Amino acid sequence: MTTEGGSLSRISTLTAALTSALALVSGVTVTASAAPAAPARATTPATAPATAGQQVDPVVWTPCNPDPSKPDPKIYDCAVYPVPLDYANPSGEKVGIAMMRRRAGDPAKRIGSLFLNPGGPGGSGYLWATTTRFEPRVMEHFDLIGFDPRGVARSNPLKCFKTQEDADAVFDRMTGVPVTPAEVDSTLTATKDYTDACARNAGALIKHMSTINVVRDLDRMRQAVGDTQLNFAGFSYGTLIGATYANMYPDKVRALIIDGNVDPHLRLHNGLEYDRQRAAGGFELALDEFLKRCKAAGAPRCAFAEGDTRARFDAIRDHLRTSPVTLPSGSQVTLSSFTSQVANALYAQTQLAPLARSLQALDKVINPQPGFGAVAGTMPTDEADRLAKVAPAALREAPADSPYTSDDSYYGVNCQDKPYPTNPKVFANLARAWELNAPTFGRYQAYDAPACATWPSPARSAEQYPGPWNKRTANPVMVIGNTFDPATQYKFAQNMQRELGDSVLVTVDMIEHCAVGRSKALNGLVTSYLVDQAVPKPGQVLKPDLDPFPAPAV
């Protein structure tokens, strides 16, 4: 949940950002175990109606335990469902889609299946069958189905390296936010080596990773579980999956929730402008609001509140631009680690107060003189250590014995979906231009996409759905947007609602990426929409349940 956004050297950091943000929202249990079982005798037979004259085999479910370290709740099933590698040759080679199902709590009231996607691209949705983000009535009426899209985690992962050592030899030469000519040159050279490795090692799957194929897979899975229409909740990049489905199969939409929205037309037609707007209108806007709300909350509710929060933050960033900071612990904060960790924190309200403590502690190290009242004098410097660390990658969920523990699905999807220039040197010029209006995240975002300039399987019209996005669906789509979403700015949610043929926008006023699970009022609307097909009234602006800067307990 970035999800939407992360240069090669920060893939794991941003993947973890998606995990931490959405796991906090949803209560998802993330574990590296519970590998999908091989197809076996179905415990729950499913009929699969044909579509467009095409017969689809039913899913063969096998009971499984999402967390073998705990007692089996006996409500989960797993499967690996085969889909065509190339839909131009549907009877040819297949790839397996790993699926997990949490059976509906009340079979007598069961409406159907609710498919879930956490975004990314490259987000593992397999364990999202265990989510607690929805109200009990949803869990009673629907089977929850999480799945890893093609090329992701358990589903024939797209891999550009054979060993982790090979990957590290390339990634270690990259800088997440390169500033000096040497850093820029090393990053772009290593990026070319990365895409060369993809050309050597990724195989035929790399040609078929675009969103249109994920949507085709999703419609097959819908049929394979016996549903005549789709129920789907997509988050972040998952909103593009939902919007594409709505326009490829408009008559098959029963209930479709998209939360943390992309702008589908912009994303599919102008990758550079889409990324520029993410930097300036998403991350930068969310950061500015965080600093304003911190100031308004005051100390000690927000540890960074004293003085001019904007000026103090900018001074820290500008210092790091020329000089990394060595902390008393011995760890080092660089511009790259600082920027990625600030971005990570903006994904979740629960991380805003800790971010303020980290900024206060780092400022204390840079400017050790007493100042800004009692908070500065008492803030332990080890609070700054998190700004020096790379967050662990939790979303890939590769088995511990994998020779290469990640997968390369993020670029596999983005480089086929989003058009980019083919000259990598363009990105250095863009970085200088973008940081004029987005001084913290412009350069950071500009270096998200150089891999697409030399990607061995670039965007092709046969592997894209470019629109239109205005098909009228059988039932209205529920669009959800946060006013200060860092990764997918609120303007994108407004654009998504306008571009879709029949949809309603619900707004939540908060700094966070995605909203379901953060507001009881919103979850009530989600439940009514899914279970009762009650479409929310347009124009609603809701509040989150959490105060990110709560008053200290008395």
Side-chain angles (χ1 to χ4, degrees):
M1 281 137 185
T2 84
T3 81
E4 277 287 300
S7 76
L8 292 173
S9 61
R10 63 179 191 264
I11 286 177
S12 63
T13 303
L14 292 168
T15 300
L18 173 64
T19 303
S20 61
L22 293 186
L24 285 165
V25 171
S26 65
V28 169
T29 303
V30 179
T31 113
S33 50
R41 180 176 59 84
T43 56
T44 307
T47 58
T51 297
Q54 180 177 299
Q55 185 63 41
V56 173
D57 292 331
V59 175
V60 180
W61 295 108
T62 300
C64 62
N65 183 3
D67 188 352
S69 68
K70 297 178 180 179
D72 188 349
K74 300 187 184 302
I75 58 173
Y76 293 98
D77 304 301
C78 297
V80 177
Y81 190 71
V83 296
L85 170 67
D86 181 359
Y87 276 89
N89 181 22
S91 61
E93 185 178 349
K94 301 292 192 291
V95 293
I97 306 299
M99 305 169 63
M100 180 181 285
R101 174 180 70 174
R102 181 193 188 278
R103 296 189 293 277
D106 188 341
K109 297 180 180 178
R110 181 183 177 276
I111 294 172
S113 303
L114 176 60
F115 287 86
L116 307 170
N117 181 271
S124 172
Y126 183 74
L127 287 169
W128 275 55
T130 68
T131 184
T132 56
R133 73 171 53 231
F134 298 104
E135 291 183 343
R137 206 155 68 96
V138 174
M139 317 286 272
E140 291 175 1
H141 285 79
F142 290 93
D143 295 339
L144 300 188
I145 297 183
F147 65 99
D148 288 348
R150 58 171 56 208
V152 175
R154 302 168 181 81
S155 296
N156 289 82
L158 183 76
K159 290 183 177 286
C160 292
F161 297 101
K162 294 185 176 180
T163 69
Q164 192 61 44
E165 291 75 17
D166 291 344
D168 291 343
V170 173
F171 294 153
D172 289 349
R173 291 156 43 212
M174 299 180 185
T175 302
V177 188
V179 176
T180 68
E183 289 174 340
V184 170
D185 182 67
S186 177
T187 298
L188 293 179
T189 301
T191 299
K192 180 60 167 65
D193 292 343
Y194 169 71
T195 57
D196 287 347
C198 294
R200 291 192 304 271
N201 298 318
L205 179 60
I206 199 171
K207 299 178 181 178
H208 308 290
M209 286 289 294
S210 59
T211 299
I212 191 173
N213 290 314
V214 177
V215 170
R216 289 163 172 159
D217 296 344
L218 178 59
D219 192 58
R220 285 209 167 208
M221 289 186 284
R222 171 194 65 77
Q223 297 173 65
V225 300
D227 288 0
T228 56
Q229 289 185 306
L230 179 73
N231 302 288
F232 176 80
F235 303 85
S236 193
Y237 159 76
T239 65
L240 182 65
I241 296 174
T244 304
Y245 189 98
N247 285 276
M248 288 179 64
Y249 308 102
D251 60 326
K252 299 301 180 184
V253 172
R254 179 190 176 275
L256 203 158
I257 294 171
I258 45 180
D259 181 9
N261 285 264
V262 306
D263 179 334
H265 184 272
L266 182 62
R267 195 180 194 278
L268 271 293
H269 289 85
N270 191 336
L272 286 180
E273 178 59 18
Y274 178 83
D275 289 351
R276 187 197 68 78
Q277 290 192 27
R278 290 188 69 227
F283 285 105
E284 208 73 41
L285 200 64
L287 171 63
D288 193 58
E289 185 67 13
F290 157 71
L291 294 171
K292 290 176 181 176
R293 293 189 183 191
C294 174
K295 177 67 176 177
R301 290 174 60 184
C302 181
F304 195 63
E306 298 287 354
D308 185 335
T309 55
R310 179 80 251 183
R312 293 178 65 205
F313 179 91
D314 290 349
I316 294 172
R317 182 199 62 228
D318 293 346
H319 179 96
L320 291 169
R321 188 178 176 90
T322 56
S323 304
V325 175
T326 301
L327 302 175
S329 64
S331 58
Q332 192 174 72
V333 180
T334 66
L335 181 64
S336 294
S337 68
F338 174 82
T339 308
S340 66
Q341 289 295 340
V342 172
N344 182 24
L346 293 173
Y347 272 72
Q349 291 184 101
T350 54
Q351 296 303 308
L352 299 183
L355 172 61
R357 295 195 296 270
S358 295
L359 292 172
Q360 181 69 16
L362 180 57
D363 188 50
K364 179 181 175 182
V365 173
I366 297 172
N367 303 293
Q369 69 275 14
F372 304 114
V375 174
T378 59
M379 183 61 59
T381 56
D382 61 6
E383 289 278 3
D385 285 346
R386 67 170 62 101
L387 297 175
K389 297 176 181 177
V390 175
L395 207 73
R396 303 301 182 190
E397 298 167 8
D401 59 352
S402 297
Y404 171 45
T405 57
S406 187
D407 67 55
D408 298 280
S409 52
Y410 175 81
Y411 286 102
V413 176
N414 271 352
C415 296
Q416 286 206 316
D417 275 357
K418 299 163 74 173
Y420 284 106
T422 56
N423 181 0
K425 294 181 179 179
V426 166
F427 296 94
N429 295 329
L430 288 173
R432 288 191 292 271
W434 289 6
E435 64 187 352
L436 296 177
N437 293 320
T440 303
F441 297 106
R443 180 170 292 269
Y444 172 79
Q445 188 63 55
Y447 281 96
D448 179 49
C452 291
T454 56
W455 191 251
S457 183
R460 298 184 300 143
S461 59
E463 295 282 338
Q464 286 184 314
Y465 180 82
W469 304 99
N470 60 358
K471 300 285 185 66
R472 191 163 185 85
T473 47
N475 295 291
V477 176
M478 183 174 180
V479 180
I480 304 168
N482 291 342
T483 50
F484 298 99
D485 189 317
T488 51
Q489 61 168 320
Y490 182 61
K491 178 183 174 182
F492 287 172
Q494 293 174 310
N495 292 347
M496 174 71 86
Q497 191 276 324
R498 282 194 293 264
E499 290 170 30
L500 293 176
D502 187 9
S503 64
V504 62
L505 172 63
V506 177
T507 302
V508 183
D509 181 22
M510 64 177 173
I511 305 168
E512 179 139 351
H513 183 41
C514 302
V516 174
R518 285 305 195 204
S519 165
K520 291 179 181 178
L522 175 64
N523 271 29
L525 296 179
V526 166
T527 298
S528 295
Y529 173 75
L530 287 172
V531 177
D532 307 318
Q533 292 191 284
V535 180
K537 294 179 181 178
Q540 297 186 66
V541 180
L542 310 177
K543 294 291 185 181
D545 300 331
L546 177 72
D547 182 348
F549 303 114
V554 178

